[in-house]
Amino acid sequence: MSSQPARKPQFRLDESLLTDLPPFSRLDRRQIREILDLAVSRRHDAGSAIFDEGAQAERFYLLLDGHVRVVRITETGEQVIALHIPPGQLLGIAPAIGRETYPATAVAATEAITLGWPVRLWPDFVCDYDGFATETYKTVGKRIGEMNTRIMELATQQVEQRIANSILRLINQSGRKTDEGIEIAFPITRQDLSELTGTTLHTVSRLLSAWEKQGLVKSARRKIVVRDAHALMLLSGAQPRH
Amino acid sequence: MSSQPARKPQFRLDESLLTDLPPFSRLDRRQIREILDLAVSRRHDAGSAIFDEGAQAERFYLLLDGHVRVVRITETGEQVIALHIPPGQLLGIAPAIGRETYPATAVAATEAITLGWPVRLWPDFVCDYDGFATETYKTVGKRIGEMNTRIMELATQQVEQRIANSILRLINQSGRKTDEGIEIAFPITRQDLSELTGTTLHTVSRLLSAWEKQGLVKSARRKIVVRDAHALMLLSGAQPRH
DNA sequence: CATGCAGTTTGCGCCAGGGCAAACTCGGGA
DNA sequence: TCCCGAGTTTGCCCTGGCGCAAACTGCATG
């Protein structure tokens, strides 16, 4: 369950890892090389923490492969999932928002590979690399938007709608087509879904069972496949576009 | 109810308006003068919108005086209050997070005075004025933190705790000492409080009545005075520091 | 001074969904 | 192969808080 620090010296990272990712897409080969040479790559077992809420922010990361859950824990010990991060995105970008500690815990949902850089390089990145700042702040903006939407949903919607919405968002962000339908690309439990929607695993289970009977979804252990996204969308309370 | 654009030509704004505010505190007199000369000041009636969700972000603002509510409206017409902004803070900083439209509507809770600058000046501000970017992103970070807390509360706490927490946060951010206790410095209705906590005005009213009977608060039309913040804190579910 | 409206209070009934408890199922490790 | 534990399902009961309805209170306006 603990993370395996496969630090430098390491295999030389290939430039193609970064060239297609928005924060780096405007950079030339030489710059990408520079960035890679400063990075430390690391593998994280599924379930292990990449960094912890409240800890001194020493590094910021890029998620090369795998999925990450960003989680907060209440004073009473309950978990709330704040965000899901798909591969290719930055995480732990505390310095971007003027923080010296991480505001939440990041947990690998699957085995995950990250690149990490010391936070002291952040100002250099922002200043030296064209488009890096812009793209990063776009990410921040998107996450703010997501959080906002979560707040609205929690404040106004029924449990059924919230769960439908969460699942739709997950398949949008990390869906994978299969012959059965669209599958969420990483393992997710009823418990996870309940922490995402502010309800209990029991209620989630009951709802998924009901939906399965109606043929909307097909679910198994830690797995959900959506067979009828359109019907889910109706349940989610979204206004059909007229 | 509509806003009164008191545009340029205008009275010359005094430099002391900005010198103490974090985003500008590291600047010298000449720079502050520059910034003020680029600004348009405007007065907003209580209840009027400063900008609207989804609108093209043409300006970013500084709230000189008054209080502002940042709200979103659901597809079903319900309002949710995302944030309260006290005087002295920036608002409408869409460009900071890579957005071209405002993600929410800003409504003046009291009569309010703003300074506004065209968004095209944003990059200049960030680059020319020492400390501006840093302080701005700290603000963004704080707001993200607040949103995060809201999500946790909505997901895990009972209505009573959420309302207690919201009131505590409001008096923290915009409290004003009176001989009766600490008063929320701007008018706030039961409805507002319910939109802040994801409940109904009825439930809020019932709770406030109960608290009033116990001497915790004293409330009137659009006004709340906290007489026993400590007791409220116990209700809010915060762990007493051991 | 009358009138109206915005904001508030309160009562009553109901039900979505949480709490609790128990049983089941699957997958992986010894 | 069997066993164990994590994840899931389901039933039953109970209640927090919402929906609905109606009445009340002041402030503001003509």
Side-chain angles (χ1 to χ4, degrees):
Chain A
M1 270 300 185
S2 69
S3 80
Q4 306 294 339
R7 292 169 159 282
K8 302 194 211 183
Q10 60 197 305
F11 292 107
R12 199 149 199 270
L13 297 160
D14 193 87
E15 286 128 26
S16 66
L17 286 172
L18 299 189
T19 40
D20 289 335
L21 301 178
F24 307 105
S25 54
R26 297 227 216 124
L27 305 182
D28 60 33
R29 221 181 151 70
R30 186 187 51 76
Q31 291 175 304
I32 297 221
R33 189 72 258 157
E34 262 172 37
I35 290 177
L36 283 172
D37 288 342
L38 291 166
V40 170
S41 105
R42 198 178 286 185
R43 196 185 69 77
H44 304 266
D45 282 331
S48 69
I50 297 173
F51 53 77
D52 286 293
E53 175 171 354
Q56 204 62 27
E58 284 167 358
R59 304 180 161 276
F60 59 95
Y61 301 88
L62 175 72
L63 182 60
L64 277 184
D65 191 46
H67 285 264
V68 167
R69 282 196 305 268
V70 179
V71 168
R72 293 197 65 189
I73 305 196
T74 67
E75 285 174 335
T76 53
E78 290 147 302
Q79 282 206 10
V80 177
I81 297 180
L83 222 48
H84 274 269
I85 301 189
Q89 290 204 2
L90 293 168
L91 74 156
I93 44 182
I97 53 174
R99 295 197 49 133
E100 302 196 331
T101 57
Y102 297 113
T105 300
V107 177
T110 54
E111 182 176 322
I113 312 285
T114 59
L115 294 183
W117 298 269
V119 288
R120 74 182 146 70
L121 295 181
W122 182 267
D124 302 341
F125 271 50
V126 166
C127 158
D128 295 349
Y129 301 125
D130 182 38
F132 179 79
T134 316
E135 286 303 325
T136 304
Y137 287 118
K138 268 194 197 152
T139 304
V140 173
K142 270 190 215 122
R143 291 194 191 159
I144 290 181
E146 270 175 57
M147 290 174 60
N148 233 300
T149 307
R150 285 279 302 288
I151 290 179
M152 297 228 325
E153 288 179 4
L154 284 167
T156 66
Q157 296 188 327
Q158 304 282 88
V159 166
E160 182 175 54
Q161 302 180 303
R162 300 209 300 268
I163 296 179
N165 271 310
S166 289
I167 292 180
L168 286 172
R169 221 168 301 127
L170 289 171
I171 63 173
N172 249 331
Q173 196 186 46
S174 312
R176 174 203 294 157
K177 283 222 175 72
T178 69
D179 43 354
E180 301 241 60
I182 307 168
E183 181 190 358
I184 295 176
F186 53 89
I188 184 162
T189 64
R190 309 290 184 265
Q191 175 78 30
D192 291 336
L193 217 35
S194 75
E195 287 170 4
L196 204 50
T197 51
T199 176
T200 61
L201 78 163
H202 309 280
T203 301
V204 173
S205 176
R206 282 185 252 265
L207 264 172
L208 284 181
S209 297
W211 288 347
E212 181 137 14
K213 278 199 194 99
Q214 297 165 42
L216 296 191
V217 302
K218 179 123 179 37
S219 74
R221 274 202 160 211
R222 296 155 63 82
K223 201 182 104 177
I224 296 175
V225 183
V226 175
R227 313 186 78 164
D228 187 347
H230 188 257
L232 259 195
M233 214 168 303
L234 289 181
L235 278 182
S236 80
Q239 299 301 331
R241 31 196 79 271
H242 77 108
Chain B
M1 271 298 182
S2 69
S3 79
Q4 305 294 339
R7 294 170 157 282
K8 303 196 212 184
Q10 59 197 308
F11 293 108
R12 199 151 196 271
L13 297 161
D14 193 87
E15 286 128 27
S16 66
L17 287 172
L18 299 189
T19 40
D20 289 334
L21 302 178
F24 306 105
S25 53
R26 299 227 216 122
L27 305 182
D28 60 33
R29 220 183 153 68
R30 185 187 50 76
Q31 291 175 304
I32 299 225
R33 190 70 261 156
E34 263 172 37
I35 289 178
L36 283 172
D37 288 343
L38 291 167
V40 170
S41 104
R42 197 177 290 184
R43 197 185 69 76
H44 304 267
D45 283 332
S48 69
I50 298 173
F51 52 79
D52 287 294
E53 175 173 354
Q56 205 62 28
E58 283 167 359
R59 303 180 160 276
F60 59 96
Y61 300 89
L62 176 71
L63 181 59
L64 276 184
D65 192 47
H67 284 264
V68 168
R69 280 197 306 270
V70 178
V71 303
R72 295 195 62 189
I73 304 197
T74 67
E75 285 174 334
T76 53
E78 289 146 302
Q79 281 207 10
V80 177
I81 298 180
L83 222 48
H84 274 269
I85 299 188
Q89 290 204 2
L90 293 168
L91 73 157
I93 44 183
I97 51 171
R99 296 197 47 132
E100 304 197 328
T101 57
Y102 297 113
T105 300
V107 177
T110 55
E111 183 176 322
I113 313 285
T114 58
L115 294 184
W117 298 269
V119 288
R120 71 182 150 71
L121 296 179
W122 181 267
D124 301 342
F125 272 50
V126 166
C127 153
D128 295 350
Y129 300 127
D130 182 36
F132 178 79
T134 315
E135 286 303 325
T136 304
Y137 286 118
K138 268 194 196 150
T139 304
V140 173
K142 270 191 214 119
R143 292 194 191 158
I144 289 181
E146 270 175 57
M147 290 173 59
N148 233 300
T149 307
R150 287 278 303 289
I151 290 179
M152 297 227 323
E153 289 179 4
L154 286 168
T156 65
Q157 297 188 327
Q158 304 281 89
V159 166
E160 183 175 53
Q161 303 181 303
R162 301 208 300 267
I163 295 178
N165 271 309
S166 289
I167 292 180
L168 287 172
R169 219 169 301 127
L170 289 172
I171 62 174
N172 249 332
Q173 194 186 47
S174 311
R176 174 203 293 158
K177 283 222 175 70
T178 71
D179 43 353
E180 300 241 60
I182 307 167
E183 182 189 358
I184 295 176
F186 53 89
I188 184 162
T189 65
R190 309 290 183 263
Q191 175 79 30
D192 290 337
L193 217 35
S194 74
E195 287 171 3
L196 204 49
T197 50
T199 176
T200 61
L201 78 161
H202 309 280
T203 302
V204 173
S205 176
R206 280 184 253 266
L207 266 170
L208 284 181
S209 297
W211 290 347
E212 181 137 16
K213 277 197 195 105
Q214 297 165 42
L216 296 192
V217 303
K218 180 124 179 36
S219 74
R221 278 206 153 205
R222 296 155 61 84
K223 200 183 102 177
I224 296 175
V225 183
V226 176
R227 314 184 78 163
D228 187 348
H230 188 256
L232 258 197
M233 215 168 303
L234 289 182
L235 279 181
S236 79
Q239 298 302 330
R241 34 197 78 271
H242 80 107

